[in-house]
Amino acid sequence: ALGLALSGILWIGTASGFLTDFFTSDEGTRIELGKLLTIVILAQPLNSFVFAADGVLQGAEEFTYQAKAMALSVASAFGLFVFLQYTTFAQDIILGGESDALLNVWYGLIMLQFMRGLTSLIKIVDRDGPIALFGKAI
């Protein structure tokens, strides 16, 4: 719920122009910031889930699992960035002929958070996980 609320607040701030006006009066910077704010707004629900799942896993002392999951997440994020930034397939087909390094970094960050969320969810719902939402009898 917090992620959705934050997304809503950021969307209102962006739609009204308050956020872009708050940071700069330069039009070119506003355009680039507008691209990034869209990604940031859409990522908030995912981020809030990941941070909550981090707390559950850390409370359950699943540090080794989290370290391995983070390594996988970083590799996935790096792989996506390299794919988007350096392959003609990604630049021509997926990105429509225009590659923006700053956006590609943020797409990589979204992949990082997505993989962190996925690996956390897998551990949380696992029968042997810390809370096993779907498997243990009460």
Side-chain angles (χ1 to χ4, degrees), residues 8 12 15 22 24 33-34 48 58 75 78 82 98 107 125 127 138:
I12 290 168
F22 181 77
T24 185
L33 185 58
S48 65
Q58 289 168 11
F78 182 73
V82 168
E98 206 172 299
Y107 292 143
V125 301
R127 284 186 184 266
I138 298 177

Side-chain angles (χ1 to χ4, degrees), residues 4-22:
L4 292 174
L6 186 54
S7 286
I9 291 167
L10 288 170
W11 179 79
I12 290 168
T14 301
S16 69
F18 173 77
L19 284 178
T20 53
D21 292 345
F22 181 77

Side-chain angles (χ1 to χ4, degrees), residues 53-67 123 129-130:
D54 279 347
V56 169
L57 292 175
Q58 289 168 11
E61 298 181 356
E62 293 285 352
F63 303 117
T64 302
Y65 180 83
Q66 280 190 295
K123 186 65 171 179

Side-chain angles (χ1 to χ4, degrees), residues 35-133:
K35 293 177 191 175
L36 295 179
L37 283 173
T38 301
I39 296 169
V40 169
I41 290 167
L42 294 174
Q44 292 315 301
L46 174 61
N47 291 338
S48 65
F49 171 76
V50 168
F51 300 144
D54 279 347
V56 169
L57 292 175
Q58 289 168 11
E61 298 181 356
E62 293 285 352
F63 303 117
T64 302
Y65 180 83
Q66 280 190 295
K68 291 174 184 175
M70 182 58 99
L72 176 65
S73 300
V74 168
S76 299
F78 182 73
L80 178 65
F81 173 78
V82 168
F83 175 72
L84 293 175
Q85 189 67 26
Y86 297 110
T87 65
T88 55
F89 175 78
Q91 292 174 5
D92 294 341
I93 306 300
I94 297 174
L95 300 173
E98 206 172 299
S99 181
D100 185 334
L102 183 59
L103 283 176
N104 292 342
V105 167
W106 278 88
Y107 292 143
L109 288 172
I110 297 300
M111 175 59 83
L112 175 82
Q113 290 296 80
F114 173 78
M115 290 301 295
R116 287 181 65 206
L118 180 63
T119 55
S120 294
L121 181 63
I122 289 168
K123 186 65 171 179
I124 288 171
V125 301
D126 183 33
R127 284 186 184 266
D128 297 324
I131 57 178
L133 294 176

